[in-house]
Amino acid sequence: MSDVRPCDLINSESVQGMRIGQESQKLGFAPGIDAEGNTCFYSIKIGNRIYVNTITNQGIDRWIDPSDEDTRSEEVSRIQGFRAVKVWFDSKRPDPDHKCRIYVDVAAGQSLEVRVEQSYSDEDPSTCTTARRFAEAAMRTLAA
């Protein structure tokens, strides 16, 4: 995962129908506490950002039973055969319009994270639906 460039994981065909405005890539940075890796973010034309992160020092186990009382998680169906977990904050169920993350366990102690901050329009799918769609697209590329 350390050599994977996150912006290379998403191709335009895999996100058709999403109103992607631009993409930017930052190397050597993965948002999160003690996370190492690379990140790419996509800007949706109405202002939202979608982050695709390759995390080289943490698998999804840290999210299975999170220690932070404001963090919630649940395992979701596998993506390309790899375990996946949905993570959200501050409520018993994920709010369809607010921060959602999908983590995919890609190797021992390594994961792919897709984070969607917020939906700004009724036309947008829920943040967790968008996160899963990007995770599936990225994993199709990784598995190829």
Side-chain angles (χ1 to χ4, degrees):
M1 288 293 282
S2 60
D3 293 332
V4 174
R5 295 172 56 98
C7 285
D8 294 343
L9 296 177
I10 307 293
N11 62 49
S12 59
E13 295 84 40
S14 62
V15 291
Q16 281 183 350
M18 301 290 289
R19 296 182 309 269
I20 304 298
Q22 65 182 20
E23 70 177 58
S24 298
Q25 185 164 2
K26 296 178 184 178
L27 298 175
F29 169 76
I33 300 171
D34 300 324
E36 297 173 6
N38 298 318
T39 192
C40 178
F41 67 86
Y42 296 82
S43 294
I44 302 294
K45 291 180 182 176
I46 54 175
N48 197 2
R49 283 200 173 155
I50 300 164
Y51 295 85
V52 178
N53 305 302
T54 55
I55 300 175
T56 58
N57 66 331
Q58 299 170 355
I60 68 168
D61 289 337
R62 79 172 290 210
W63 299 108
I64 298 297
D65 188 19
S67 58
D68 180 355
E69 64 185 47
D70 292 330
T71 304
R72 308 274 190 263
S73 70
E74 69 181 26
E75 283 204 58
V76 294
S77 59
R78 290 177 175 253
I79 298 176
Q80 293 290 322
F82 293 87
R83 285 176 62 208
V85 64
K86 174 171 49 178
V87 177
W88 69 95
F89 302 89
D90 302 326
S91 64
K92 297 291 182 196
R93 301 297 322 145
D95 181 321
D97 295 324
H98 292 94
K99 194 181 292 186
C100 184
R101 300 172 184 200
I102 299 286
Y103 289 87
V104 183
D105 213 15
V106 296
Q110 298 183 358
S111 57
L112 173 80
E113 175 202 15
V114 177
R115 176 170 47 116
V116 180
E117 293 295 319
Q118 186 172 348
S119 291
Y120 289 94
S121 166
D122 291 341
E123 297 172 18
D124 288 340
S126 76
T127 53
C128 289
T129 298
T130 300
R132 177 148 187 122
R133 186 171 176 191
F134 269 75
E136 288 170 346
M139 289 304 295
R140 278 193 299 274
T141 302
L142 272 177

Short mmCIF file of all heavy atoms in Angstrom, two decimals, residues 15-43:
data_model
loop_
_atom_site.label_atom_id
_atom_site.label_comp_id
_atom_site.label_asym_id
_atom_site.label_seq_id
_atom_site.Cartn_x
_atom_site.Cartn_y
_atom_site.Cartn_z
N VAL A 15 -17.12 6.29 -11.33
CA VAL A 15 -17.88 7.28 -10.57
C VAL A 15 -18.81 8.08 -11.48
O VAL A 15 -19.15 9.22 -11.17
CB VAL A 15 -16.96 8.21 -9.75
CG1 VAL A 15 -16.30 7.44 -8.62
CG2 VAL A 15 -15.92 8.89 -10.61
N GLN A 16 -19.23 7.48 -12.58
CA GLN A 16 -20.17 8.17 -13.47
C GLN A 16 -21.43 8.53 -12.69
O GLN A 16 -21.89 7.77 -11.84
CB GLN A 16 -20.54 7.27 -14.65
CG GLN A 16 -19.48 7.26 -15.71
CD GLN A 16 -19.91 6.43 -16.91
OE1 GLN A 16 -20.90 5.72 -16.88
NE2 GLN A 16 -19.14 6.53 -17.96
N GLY A 17 -21.98 9.66 -13.00
CA GLY A 17 -23.19 10.11 -12.33
C GLY A 17 -22.90 10.96 -11.10
O GLY A 17 -23.76 11.68 -10.63
N MET A 18 -21.68 10.89 -10.58
CA MET A 18 -21.29 11.75 -9.46
C MET A 18 -20.81 13.06 -10.06
O MET A 18 -20.15 13.07 -11.09
CB MET A 18 -20.16 11.11 -8.66
CG MET A 18 -20.49 9.75 -8.09
SD MET A 18 -21.69 9.81 -6.77
CE MET A 18 -20.72 10.52 -5.48
N ARG A 19 -21.15 14.16 -9.45
CA ARG A 19 -20.77 15.46 -9.99
C ARG A 19 -19.38 15.87 -9.51
O ARG A 19 -19.23 16.78 -8.70
CB ARG A 19 -21.83 16.48 -9.60
CG ARG A 19 -23.20 16.16 -10.21
CD ARG A 19 -24.25 17.19 -9.86
NE ARG A 19 -24.36 17.48 -8.45
CZ ARG A 19 -25.18 16.86 -7.61
NH1 ARG A 19 -25.95 15.89 -8.03
NH2 ARG A 19 -25.24 17.20 -6.36
N ILE A 20 -18.36 15.16 -10.00
CA ILE A 20 -16.99 15.43 -9.59
C ILE A 20 -16.51 16.70 -10.28
O ILE A 20 -16.60 16.82 -11.50
CB ILE A 20 -16.06 14.26 -9.96
CG1 ILE A 20 -16.57 12.94 -9.36
CG2 ILE A 20 -14.63 14.54 -9.54
CD1 ILE A 20 -16.61 12.91 -7.88
N GLY A 21 -16.01 17.63 -9.49
CA GLY A 21 -15.53 18.88 -10.06
C GLY A 21 -14.04 18.85 -10.32
O GLY A 21 -13.57 19.29 -11.36
N GLN A 22 -13.27 18.33 -9.39
CA GLN A 22 -11.83 18.30 -9.56
C GLN A 22 -11.25 17.27 -8.62
O GLN A 22 -11.91 16.81 -7.70
CB GLN A 22 -11.21 19.66 -9.25
CG GLN A 22 -11.39 20.06 -7.79
CD GLN A 22 -10.82 21.44 -7.50
OE1 GLN A 22 -10.63 22.24 -8.38
NE2 GLN A 22 -10.55 21.70 -6.24
N GLU A 23 -10.01 16.90 -8.84
CA GLU A 23 -9.32 16.03 -7.92
C GLU A 23 -7.97 16.63 -7.61
O GLU A 23 -7.39 17.33 -8.43
CB GLU A 23 -9.17 14.61 -8.45
CG GLU A 23 -8.21 14.48 -9.61
CD GLU A 23 -8.07 13.04 -10.06
OE1 GLU A 23 -9.07 12.42 -10.41
OE2 GLU A 23 -6.94 12.56 -10.05
N SER A 24 -7.50 16.38 -6.42
CA SER A 24 -6.19 16.82 -6.01
C SER A 24 -5.53 15.66 -5.30
O SER A 24 -6.21 14.82 -4.72
CB SER A 24 -6.26 18.01 -5.07
OG SER A 24 -6.86 19.11 -5.70
N GLN A 25 -4.23 15.62 -5.32
CA GLN A 25 -3.53 14.55 -4.64
C GLN A 25 -2.47 15.12 -3.73
O GLN A 25 -1.75 16.04 -4.10
CB GLN A 25 -2.89 13.61 -5.66
CG GLN A 25 -2.25 12.41 -5.01
CD GLN A 25 -1.96 11.30 -5.99
OE1 GLN A 25 -2.20 11.43 -7.17
NE2 GLN A 25 -1.45 10.21 -5.50
N LYS A 26 -2.42 14.58 -2.55
CA LYS A 26 -1.36 14.92 -1.60
C LYS A 26 -0.67 13.61 -1.25
O LYS A 26 -1.33 12.65 -0.86
CB LYS A 26 -1.93 15.53 -0.33
CG LYS A 26 -2.65 16.84 -0.54
CD LYS A 26 -3.21 17.33 0.77
CE LYS A 26 -4.01 18.60 0.57
NZ LYS A 26 -4.62 19.08 1.79
N LEU A 27 0.60 13.55 -1.38
CA LEU A 27 1.34 12.34 -1.06
C LEU A 27 1.93 12.44 0.34
O LEU A 27 2.25 13.52 0.81
CB LEU A 27 2.45 12.11 -2.08
CG LEU A 27 1.98 11.89 -3.51
CD1 LEU A 27 3.18 11.80 -4.44
CD2 LEU A 27 1.13 10.65 -3.61
N GLY A 28 2.07 11.30 1.00
CA GLY A 28 2.71 11.27 2.30
C GLY A 28 1.83 11.76 3.44
O GLY A 28 2.33 12.14 4.48
N PHE A 29 0.53 11.74 3.27
CA PHE A 29 -0.35 12.23 4.32
C PHE A 29 -1.63 11.42 4.32
O PHE A 29 -2.22 11.17 3.28
CB PHE A 29 -0.68 13.69 4.06
CG PHE A 29 -1.78 14.23 4.92
CD1 PHE A 29 -1.55 14.55 6.23
CD2 PHE A 29 -3.06 14.41 4.42
CE1 PHE A 29 -2.57 15.04 7.03
CE2 PHE A 29 -4.08 14.90 5.20
CZ PHE A 29 -3.83 15.21 6.51
N ALA A 30 -2.04 10.97 5.49
CA ALA A 30 -3.34 10.32 5.63
C ALA A 30 -3.99 10.91 6.86
O ALA A 30 -3.42 10.88 7.95
CB ALA A 30 -3.20 8.81 5.78
N PRO A 31 -5.18 11.51 6.73
CA PRO A 31 -5.81 12.13 7.88
C PRO A 31 -6.19 11.10 8.93
O PRO A 31 -6.56 9.98 8.61
CB PRO A 31 -7.05 12.81 7.29
CG PRO A 31 -7.28 12.14 6.00
CD PRO A 31 -5.98 11.61 5.53
N GLY A 32 -6.07 11.48 10.17
CA GLY A 32 -6.44 10.60 11.27
C GLY A 32 -5.34 10.55 12.30
O GLY A 32 -4.20 10.93 12.06
N ILE A 33 -5.70 10.05 13.46
CA ILE A 33 -4.75 9.97 14.56
C ILE A 33 -3.73 8.88 14.25
O ILE A 33 -4.08 7.72 14.06
CB ILE A 33 -5.49 9.65 15.88
CG1 ILE A 33 -6.49 10.77 16.17
CG2 ILE A 33 -4.51 9.47 17.02
CD1 ILE A 33 -7.42 10.48 17.30
N ASP A 34 -2.48 9.27 14.19
CA ASP A 34 -1.36 8.36 13.97
C ASP A 34 -1.45 7.59 12.66
O ASP A 34 -0.80 6.57 12.49
CB ASP A 34 -1.23 7.36 15.13
CG ASP A 34 -0.98 8.05 16.47
OD1 ASP A 34 -0.28 9.08 16.47
OD2 ASP A 34 -1.50 7.57 17.49
N ALA A 35 -2.24 8.04 11.71
CA ALA A 35 -2.35 7.34 10.43
C ALA A 35 -1.21 7.76 9.51
O ALA A 35 -0.86 8.93 9.43
CB ALA A 35 -3.70 7.63 9.78
N GLU A 36 -0.65 6.77 8.83
CA GLU A 36 0.39 7.02 7.85
C GLU A 36 -0.11 6.52 6.50
O GLU A 36 -0.83 5.53 6.42
CB GLU A 36 1.67 6.28 8.23
CG GLU A 36 2.27 6.76 9.54
CD GLU A 36 3.45 5.90 9.99
OE1 GLU A 36 3.88 5.00 9.22
OE2 GLU A 36 3.93 6.12 11.10
N GLY A 37 0.28 7.21 5.45
CA GLY A 37 -0.11 6.77 4.12
C GLY A 37 -0.27 7.95 3.18
O GLY A 37 0.32 9.00 3.38
N ASN A 38 -1.07 7.74 2.14
CA ASN A 38 -1.30 8.76 1.12
C ASN A 38 -2.78 9.05 1.00
O ASN A 38 -3.62 8.20 1.32
CB ASN A 38 -0.77 8.28 -0.23
CG ASN A 38 0.72 8.04 -0.20
OD1 ASN A 38 1.47 8.81 0.37
ND2 ASN A 38 1.15 6.95 -0.80
N THR A 39 -3.10 10.23 0.50
CA THR A 39 -4.50 10.59 0.34
C THR A 39 -4.75 11.29 -0.99
O THR A 39 -3.85 11.88 -1.57
CB THR A 39 -4.98 11.48 1.52
OG1 THR A 39 -6.38 11.58 1.49
CG2 THR A 39 -4.37 12.86 1.46
N CYS A 40 -5.97 11.17 -1.44
CA CYS A 40 -6.45 11.88 -2.62
C CYS A 40 -7.84 12.39 -2.26
O CYS A 40 -8.60 11.68 -1.60
CB CYS A 40 -6.54 10.92 -3.80
SG CYS A 40 -7.19 11.67 -5.31
N PHE A 41 -8.15 13.61 -2.65
CA PHE A 41 -9.52 14.04 -2.40
C PHE A 41 -10.16 14.50 -3.68
O PHE A 41 -9.53 15.01 -4.59
CB PHE A 41 -9.62 15.09 -1.29
CG PHE A 41 -9.02 16.42 -1.59
CD1 PHE A 41 -9.74 17.40 -2.25
CD2 PHE A 41 -7.74 16.72 -1.17
CE1 PHE A 41 -9.19 18.63 -2.51
CE2 PHE A 41 -7.18 17.95 -1.43
CZ PHE A 41 -7.90 18.91 -2.10
N TYR A 42 -11.45 14.25 -3.73
CA TYR A 42 -12.28 14.61 -4.87
C TYR A 42 -13.27 15.66 -4.40
O TYR A 42 -13.86 15.51 -3.33
CB TYR A 42 -13.05 13.39 -5.38
CG TYR A 42 -12.13 12.33 -5.90
CD1 TYR A 42 -11.51 11.43 -5.05
CD2 TYR A 42 -11.86 12.25 -7.26
CE1 TYR A 42 -10.64 10.47 -5.54
CE2 TYR A 42 -10.99 11.29 -7.76
CZ TYR A 42 -10.39 10.40 -6.88
OH TYR A 42 -9.53 9.46 -7.37
N SER A 43 -13.43 16.70 -5.17
CA SER A 43 -14.40 17.74 -4.84
C SER A 43 -15.64 17.55 -5.67
O SER A 43 -15.57 17.44 -6.89
CB SER A 43 -13.82 19.13 -5.12
OG SER A 43 -12.74 19.38 -4.26
#
